[in-house]
Amino acid sequence: MSDEKALLAVEREVALMFRRGRARVAELSRRVHPELEGMAYSLLGYVEQAGPVRVTDVGVHFAVGKATVSRQIRALEELGLVAREADPQDGRAALVSLTEDGRRRYLAARDARMRRVRELLGNWSREDVDRFADLLHRFNDVIGEPPVE
């Protein structure tokens, strides 16, 4: 396969993975709560992993504007999945954390997702899974870098 053909194959497969991933995240969001939008599952995952986190940091992490992240968090608050509190280090800022119900629902959806990952990769060797994880990590590092102008 030529370099160009190989790069086109990578681009095609990555695009397919992204499309399927967006659909899967939307499905997982609905598993957490039927009224959630697609991004909500990822947002809950970030808050769960990061612990109490500033609203602005959530926006930076997902590269979305303040209005978008505020709307998402407000929807999660209304459903009782997250709570906001004043940041003790800066009273003007708010910290977001999962409620007990939010944590329970998120972890149940994450466990279902991980069961699916185990099914999908169950026939792969440990070496293949490790290599795949390493390559995905390298790829994510590269796509996270600012573009060269």
Side-chain angles (χ1 to χ4, degrees):
M1 188 182 296
S2 73
D3 289 346
E4 189 64 20
K5 284 185 179 181
L7 291 174
L8 285 169
V10 167
E11 191 280 330
R12 205 173 31 252
E13 294 301 323
V14 167
L16 178 61
M17 184 173 62
F18 284 169
R19 281 194 309 276
R20 287 179 176 168
R22 278 192 302 272
R24 186 72 177 134
V25 166
E27 177 187 321
L28 288 164
S29 290
R30 288 187 300 277
R31 185 180 288 235
V32 172
H33 194 285
E35 295 177 32
L36 288 184
E37 294 181 21
M39 181 183 164
Y41 176 81
S42 298
L43 196 149
L44 289 170
Y46 176 69
V47 172
E48 196 274 333
Q49 177 253 325
V53 62
R54 285 183 175 196
V55 173
T56 54
D57 291 338
V58 175
V60 168
H61 178 78
F62 289 101
V64 296
K66 184 178 180 180
T68 300
V69 77
S70 291
R71 182 178 56 80
Q72 288 281 337
I73 289 173
R74 190 169 33 260
L76 293 170
E77 277 183 297
E78 289 170 1
L79 294 172
L81 302 174
V82 301
R84 276 190 235 215
E85 62 183 284
D87 184 340
Q89 297 180 358
D90 180 357
R92 300 168 296 165
L95 295 177
V96 178
S97 58
L98 297 182
T99 63
E100 284 306 312
D101 187 43
R103 182 175 317 284
R104 182 184 56 74
R105 287 171 176 260
Y106 168 76
L107 292 176
R110 186 189 69 188
D111 290 348
R113 182 189 79 203
M114 288 308 300
R115 278 192 300 277
R116 181 69 177 137
V117 170
R118 283 185 198 91
E119 288 172 13
L120 293 170
L121 301 180
N123 291 328
W124 290 29
S125 71
R126 171 66 189 265
E127 293 78 21
D128 283 349
V129 173
D130 287 343
R131 177 93 171 120
F132 186 52
D134 289 343
L135 290 171
L136 285 172
H137 180 78
R138 280 180 53 197
F139 183 74
N140 281 321
D141 279 350
V142 169
I143 64 173
E145 295 174 359
V148 177
E149 295 189 25

